[in-house]
Amino acid sequence: MRPEARGTRMDWELGISGYIAPATLSAAVRYLAESSTQEYPPLVWAGGTDLMPRMRMRWLDSPEQGGLQSLLSLRSVSELSGIEVVGDMLRIGSLTTIEEMRRSPLISAHAPALAIACDLFASFQIRHAATLGGTLVNASPAADTAGPLLVHQAVVVCAGWRDGGVDERHIPLAEFWLGPGRCALAADELLVAVELPIFPDSGWVAYEKHCRRPAKDISIVSITLAVEPDGDGGLCRSSLALGAVAPTPLLVPQVAELLAEGGFGSKEGHSRASRMAAEAASPIDDVRGSAAHRRHLVEVLTHRALDGIAARMGYSDFNGYEPPQRMTITQSGSALTNCELPPMTPQPSAELQEGDIEVNFTLNGGPMRRNIAAGATLVALLREDENLTGTKIACEEGECGACSVLLDGRAVQSCLTLAVECEGREVVTVEGVYAPDGELHDLMEDMLIEGGVQCGFCSPGMVISGLSHFLNGGGGGEQELARAIEGNLCRCTGYLRLLSGLERHAARLGGGVGLE
Ligand SMILES: Cc1cc2nc3c(=O)[nH]c(=O)nc-3n(C[C@H](O)[C@H](O)[C@H](O)COP(=O)(O)OP(=O)(O)OC[C@H]3O[C@@H](n4cnc5c(N)ncnc54)[C@H](O)[C@@H]3O)c2cc1C
Ligand code: FES
Ligand code: FES
């Protein structure tokens, strides 16, 4: 790492050589095909929550690589968006964000395990940016969406440019991952969508992400179980998937076989199935947990999931059994949230540009036009060029929330957001939250009255997260409010006074809030 580069403008520009944002899938895959033979083919950019920290590391470690790679942004490709039912399948566009999936009634109704996983995925800021495609192509064995999509029998739709047209191929998700960080997508292909059969209303799912703090940590182990009863006391299908215990997310078909052969619904059968799951795992020791601990967790959590679902289905051996709260057991349609997220405004496309790039967006209510480097982060633009230093910078990797801003009304971390990706959108920093006469916004006042401000470093990020919560239909329940700021760290207040401030504001509103 080059220490002299940290915290400087250079640090933030990441050395990107060019930028293109095609309007259509065919233009995007054609560009990929034409540039795939280059020594440094373009980087496909979706939410950037994986790429930004990775690129910053690479740029700091080996700046000689800077300036060699261009970005292909997916922001304007409308074919990659949307969640819809097509026949008896659910189709989810790869550009759908985790928060859009978390709030989708269709996903809650037809892919309940995925809905739970999205609920436990990182913080609001990350969920507002991270996409389904990014989480799958990233190929992490610990990805929260992986197990649920496996038990829901997902198929990945990929597209490339072949013989003068867009050519699609379908890959079962179980065959998609090849190892940590590696997947079956060819270098000149894009992931277009994921398709999964509609989960039956009578089915049950269980999911647990075992970690210290879901908003900040990836799982030590995750487990997803789906069970489809046959209506006659048996099962027509079951599926168990494990996360973070093998080089790729892992299906355990031998457990499904055992359950189908009468192992489900008895204590002995569940014990055998749980031991089988633990034997199938091949975990490693790492900073998050030892291999032995992980294997033990697989056995315990599989047992709890089986017992919990059997209890809900009325098997007498499990009367009254409730697994600990960390495990969620549910059926189709048990909505986790009652507020669908309105779709994002479509963004304008951009031709291939090199050197500085013109970007136009609305900043705190006024028009903004700047020429900036393609790799410049939004926080660099705000603090360095616009002198809007209310937006703080600390961890630079999406952990602390100090750099949060509103992007089209949703909190995101400006250290993980490329300024060029804000084209055509509306950015609000804490400076834009004040009333036009300079008076404090009601939310700021409520936080102040309740003593939710000490050194004040986290306060701008807290205000932005609070506003994002209320603007997007969040309610005033204690747990909901705590979750609203779980992506923001505060070293001073102990959080309780911040929560009191949010509670006071929720009471003042009795509903949603505007910025006026
Ligand atoms: C602070 C923090 C907390 C996190 N917490 C969690 C967590 O709790 N659970 C979890 O599972 N993950 C977590 N992550 C990881 C991360 O958010 C996900 O992996 C994310 O889903 C990646 O999606 P993205 O859209 O941001 O991808 P990007 O960063 O844009 O891209 C990731 C990779 O996918 C490729 N790509 C993206 N879309 C496509 C496409 N359509 N076609 C072809 N290639 C594509 C990119 O080229 C790149 O290689 C966390 C990350 C951070 C920074
Ligand atoms: S999350 Fe952006 S600086 Fe910490
Ligand atoms: S008030 Fe000091 S970090 Fe939160």
Side-chain angles (χ1 to χ4, degrees), residues 200 202-204 227-237 313 315 331:
S202 58
W204 287 91
V227 167
E228 296 177 26
D230 62 7
D232 218 8
L235 301 185
C236 52
R237 189 182 80 89
M313 285 171 63
Y315 282 81
Q331 278 189 297

Side-chain angles (χ1 to χ4, degrees), residues 452-459 462 489-493 498:
V453 182
Q454 287 187 27
C455 81
F457 188 83
C458 71
S459 306
M462 292 288 180
L489 296 180
C490 173
R491 64 182 180 179
C492 308
T493 62
L498 281 160

Side-chain angles (χ1 to χ4, degrees), residues 272-297:
R272 279 182 58 208
S274 309
R275 282 197 301 273
M276 213 175 235
E279 280 159 20
S282 52
I284 53 167
D285 297 317
D286 68 14
V287 286
R288 283 176 289 131
S290 68
H293 181 217
R294 285 190 156 108
R295 206 183 285 280
H296 173 71
L297 279 173

Side-chain angles (χ1 to χ4, degrees), residues 202-207 225-229 233-235 237-238 259 262-271 273-274 301-323 327-331:
S202 58
W204 287 91
V205 292
Y207 180 82
L225 176 68
V227 167
E228 296 177 26
L235 301 185
R237 189 182 80 89
S238 71
L259 298 177
F264 186 73
S266 75
K267 288 187 175 164
E268 168 57 23
H270 290 190
S271 296
S274 309
L301 299 183
T302 303
H303 218 310
R304 285 180 187 165
L306 287 165
D307 294 359
I309 290 183
R312 303 282 174 98
M313 285 171 63
Y315 282 81
S316 56
D317 275 8
F318 303 95
N319 267 349
Y321 174 76
E322 264 301 325
M327 178 164 285
T328 309
I329 297 183
T330 190
Q331 278 189 297

